[in-house]
Coordinates of all heavy atoms in Angstrom, one line a residue:
L11 N -68.0 71.2 87.3 CA -68.0 71.0 88.7 C -66.7 71.4 89.4 O -66.7 72.0 90.5 CB -68.2 69.5 89.0 CG -68.8 69.1 90.4 CD1 -70.1 69.7 90.6 CD2 -68.9 67.6 90.5
N12 N -65.6 71.2 88.7 CA -64.3 71.7 89.1 C -64.3 73.2 89.2 O -63.8 73.8 90.1 CB -63.2 71.2 88.2 CG -61.8 71.7 88.6 OD1 -61.4 72.8 88.1 ND2 -61.1 71.0 89.4
R13 N -64.9 73.9 88.2 CA -65.0 75.3 88.2 C -65.8 75.8 89.3 O -65.4 76.8 90.0 CB -65.6 75.8 86.9 CG -65.8 77.3 86.8 CD -66.4 77.8 85.5 NE -65.4 77.6 84.4 CZ -65.7 78.0 83.2 NH1 -66.9 78.6 82.9 NH2 -64.8 77.9 82.2
Y14 N -66.9 75.2 89.6 CA -67.8 75.6 90.7 C -67.1 75.4 92.1 O -67.3 76.2 93.0 CB -69.1 74.8 90.7 CG -70.0 75.1 89.5 CD1 -70.9 74.2 89.0 CD2 -69.8 76.3 88.8 CE1 -71.7 74.5 87.9 CE2 -70.6 76.6 87.7 CZ -71.6 75.7 87.3 OH -72.3 75.9 86.2
A15 N -66.3 74.3 92.2 CA -65.5 74.1 93.4 C -64.5 75.3 93.6 O -64.3 75.7 94.7 CB -64.8 72.8 93.3
R16 N -64.0 75.7 92.5 CA -63.0 76.8 92.6 C -63.7 78.1 93.0 O -63.2 78.9 93.8 CB -62.4 77.1 91.2 CG -61.2 78.1 91.2 CD -60.5 78.0 89.9 NE -61.3 78.7 88.8 CZ -61.6 78.1 87.7 NH1 -61.2 76.8 87.5 NH2 -62.2 78.7 86.7
Y17 N -64.9 78.3 92.6 CA -65.7 79.5 93.0 C -66.0 79.4 94.5 O -66.0 80.5 95.2 CB -67.0 79.6 92.2 CG -66.8 79.9 90.7 CD1 -67.8 79.6 89.8 CD2 -65.6 80.4 90.2 CE1 -67.7 79.8 88.4 CE2 -65.4 80.6 88.9 CZ -66.4 80.3 88.0 OH -66.3 80.5 86.6
L18 N -66.3 78.2 95.0 CA -66.6 78.1 96.4 C -65.4 78.4 97.2 O -65.5 79.0 98.3 CB -67.0 76.7 96.7 CG -68.4 76.2 96.1 CD1 -68.7 74.8 96.6 CD2 -69.5 77.2 96.5
V19 N -64.2 78.0 96.8 CA -63.0 78.3 97.5 C -62.7 79.9 97.6 O -62.4 80.4 98.6 CB -61.7 77.7 96.8 CG1 -60.5 78.1 97.5 CG2 -61.9 76.2 96.9
L20 N -63.0 80.5 96.4 CA -62.8 82.0 96.4 C -63.9 82.6 97.3 O -63.6 83.7 98.0 CB -63.0 82.5 95.0 CG -61.9 82.0 94.0 CD1 -62.2 82.6 92.6 CD2 -60.6 82.4 94.4
G21 N -65.1 82.1 97.4 CA -66.1 82.6 98.3 C -65.6 82.4 99.8 O -65.9 83.2 100.6
M22 N -64.9 81.3 100.0 CA -64.4 81.1 101.4 C -63.4 82.1 101.8 O -63.4 82.6 103.0 CB -63.8 79.7 101.4 CG -63.5 79.1 102.7 SD -63.0 77.4 102.6 CE -62.5 77.0 104.2
V23 N -62.5 82.4 100.9 CA -61.4 83.4 101.3 C -62.0 84.8 101.4 O -61.6 85.7 102.2 CB -60.3 83.4 100.3 CG1 -60.6 84.0 98.9 CG2 -59.0 84.1 100.8
A24 N -63.1 85.1 100.6 CA -63.8 86.4 100.8 C -64.5 86.5 102.1 O -64.5 87.5 102.8 CB -64.7 86.6 99.6
M25 N -65.1 85.4 102.5 CA -65.7 85.3 103.8 C -64.7 85.5 105.0 O -65.0 86.2 106.0 CB -66.4 83.9 104.0 CG -67.2 83.7 105.3 SD -66.2 82.9 106.5 CE -66.1 81.3 105.8
A26 N -63.5 85.0 104.8 CA -62.5 85.2 105.8 C -62.1 86.7 105.9 O -62.0 87.2 107.1 CB -61.2 84.4 105.5
L27 N -62.1 87.4 104.8 CA -61.8 88.9 104.9 C -63.0 89.6 105.5 O -62.8 90.6 106.3 CB -61.6 89.4 103.5 CG -61.3 90.9 103.4 CD1 -60.1 91.3 104.2 CD2 -61.2 91.4 101.9
S28 N -64.2 89.1 105.3 CA -65.4 89.8 105.9 C -65.3 89.7 107.4 O -65.7 90.7 108.1 CB -66.6 89.1 105.4 OG -67.8 89.5 106.1
L29 N -64.7 88.6 107.9 CA -64.6 88.5 109.4 C -63.7 89.6 110.0 O -64.0 90.2 111.0 CB -64.1 87.1 109.7 CG -63.9 86.9 111.2 CD1 -65.3 86.9 112.0 CD2 -63.2 85.5 111.5
S30 N -62.6 89.8 109.3 CA -61.6 90.8 109.9 C -62.0 92.2 109.5 O -61.8 93.2 110.3 CB -60.2 90.5 109.4 OG -60.1 90.6 108.0
W31 N -62.5 92.4 108.3 CA -62.8 93.8 107.8 C -64.2 94.2 108.2 O -64.4 95.3 108.8 CB -62.7 93.8 106.3 CG -62.9 95.2 105.7 CD1 -62.7 96.4 106.3 CD2 -63.3 95.5 104.3 NE1 -62.9 97.4 105.4 CE2 -63.3 96.9 104.2 CE3 -63.6 94.7 103.2 CZ2 -63.7 97.5 103.0 CZ3 -64.0 95.3 102.0 CH2 -64.0 96.7 101.9
G32 N -65.2 93.4 108.0 CA -66.5 93.8 108.3 C -66.9 93.8 109.7 O -67.7 94.6 110.2
Y33 N -66.3 92.9 110.5 CA -66.7 92.8 111.9 C -65.7 93.4 112.9 O -66.0 93.7 114.0 CB -66.9 91.3 112.2 CG -68.2 90.7 111.7 CD1 -68.2 90.2 110.4 CD2 -69.4 90.8 112.4 CE1 -69.4 89.7 109.9 CE2 -70.5 90.3 111.9 CZ -70.6 89.7 110.6 OH -71.7 89.2 110.1
A34 N -64.4 93.5 112.4 CA -63.4 94.1 113.3 C -62.8 95.3 112.8 O -62.0 96.0 113.5 CB -62.3 93.0 113.6
G35 N -63.2 95.7 111.6 CA -62.7 97.0 111.0 C -61.3 97.0 110.6 O -60.6 98.0 110.4
I36 N -60.7 95.8 110.3 CA -59.3 95.6 109.9 C -59.3 95.4 108.4 O -59.6 94.3 107.9 CB -58.6 94.4 110.6 CG1 -58.8 94.6 112.1 CG2 -57.2 94.3 110.2 CD1 -58.3 93.3 112.9
L37 N -58.9 96.4 107.6 CA -58.9 96.2 106.2 C -57.5 95.6 105.8 O -56.5 96.3 105.8 CB -59.0 97.6 105.5 CG -58.9 97.6 104.0 CD1 -59.8 96.6 103.3 CD2 -59.1 99.0 103.4
N38 N -57.5 94.3 105.6 CA -56.3 93.6 105.3 C -56.2 93.4 103.8 O -56.8 92.6 103.1 CB -56.4 92.2 105.9 CG -55.2 91.3 105.7 OD1 -54.2 91.8 105.1 ND2 -55.3 90.1 106.1
L39 N -55.3 94.3 103.2 CA -55.1 94.2 101.8 C -54.1 93.1 101.4 O -53.8 92.9 100.2 CB -54.5 95.6 101.3 CG -55.5 96.7 101.3 CD1 -54.8 98.0 100.7 CD2 -56.8 96.4 100.6
G40 N -53.6 92.4 102.4 CA -52.7 91.3 102.2 C -53.4 89.9 102.4 O -52.7 89.0 102.8
Q41 N -54.7 89.8 102.2 CA -55.4 88.6 102.5 C -54.9 87.4 101.7 O -54.9 86.3 102.1 CB -56.9 88.8 102.3 CG -57.8 87.6 102.6 CD -57.9 87.4 104.2 OE1 -57.5 88.3 104.9 NE2 -58.5 86.3 104.6
A42 N -54.4 87.7 100.5 CA -53.8 86.7 99.6 C -52.6 86.0 100.2 O -52.2 84.9 99.8 CB -53.5 87.2 98.3
L43 N -52.0 86.7 101.2 CA -50.8 86.1 101.8 C -51.1 84.8 102.6 O -50.5 83.8 102.3 CB -50.2 87.1 102.8 CG -49.0 86.6 103.7 CD1 -47.8 86.1 102.8 CD2 -48.5 87.6 104.7
S44 N -52.2 84.8 103.4 CA -52.6 83.6 104.1 C -53.1 82.5 103.1 O -52.8 81.3 103.2 CB -53.7 83.9 105.1 OG -53.3 84.9 106.0
F45 N -53.8 83.0 102.1 CA -54.3 82.1 101.0 C -53.1 81.4 100.3 O -53.1 80.2 100.1 CB -55.1 82.9 100.0 CG -55.7 82.1 98.9 CD1 -56.8 81.3 99.2 CD2 -55.2 82.2 97.6 CE1 -57.4 80.6 98.1 CE2 -55.8 81.5 96.6 CZ -56.9 80.7 96.9
G46 N -52.1 82.2 99.9 CA -51.0 81.6 99.2 C -50.1 80.7 100.1 O -49.6 79.7 99.6
L47 N -49.9 81.0 101.3 CA -49.1 80.2 102.2 C -49.8 78.8 102.4 O -49.1 77.8 102.4 CB -48.9 80.9 103.6 CG -48.0 82.1 103.6 CD1 -48.0 82.8 105.0 CD2 -46.6 81.7 103.2
G48 N -51.1 78.8 102.6 CA -51.8 77.6 102.7 C -51.7 76.8 101.4 O -51.6 75.5 101.5
S49 N -51.8 77.4 100.3 CA -51.7 76.8 99.0 C -50.3 76.1 98.8 O -50.2 74.9 98.4 CB -51.9 77.8 97.9 OG -51.7 77.2 96.6
Y50 N -49.3 76.8 99.2 CA -47.9 76.2 99.0 C -47.7 75.1 100.0 O -47.0 74.1 99.7 CB -46.9 77.3 99.2 CG -46.5 78.0 97.9 CD1 -47.2 79.0 97.3 CD2 -45.3 77.6 97.2 CE1 -46.9 79.6 96.1 CE2 -45.0 78.1 96.0 CZ -45.8 79.1 95.4 OH -45.4 79.7 94.2
C51 N -48.2 75.2 101.2 CA -48.1 74.1 102.2 C -48.7 72.8 101.6 O -48.0 71.7 101.7 CB -48.7 74.4 103.5 SG -47.8 75.6 104.5
M52 N -49.8 72.9 101.1 CA -50.5 71.7 100.5 C -49.7 71.2 99.2 O -49.5 70.0 99.0 CB -51.9 72.0 100.1 CG -52.6 70.8 99.4 SD -52.7 69.3 100.4 CE -53.7 69.8 101.8
A53 N -49.2 72.2 98.4 CA -48.5 71.8 97.2 C -47.2 71.1 97.5 O -46.8 70.1 96.8 CB -48.2 73.1 96.3

């Protein structure tokens, strides 16, 4: 269940990239920056 929760989180960050890349044409190769900043704030 913990592993599946991890997969859902990764699906969430991929969905975020889809919004900027697929719908606005912005290929953000630094998507992990936002992901990591959020992670460190919680940590």
Side-chain angles (χ1 to χ4, degrees):
L11 203 59
N12 175 270
R13 175 181 291 185
Y14 294 156
R16 188 169 74 237
Y17 295 160
L18 294 183
V19 174
L20 298 179
M22 192 172 172
V23 71
M25 182 265 292
L27 178 62
S28 172
L29 180 65
S30 63
W31 184 24
Y33 287 88
I36 305 170
L37 178 54
N38 181 6
L39 292 184
Q41 185 71 10
L43 174 60
S44 300
F45 182 76
L47 290 175
S49 174
Y50 268 82
C51 286
M52 178 58 68

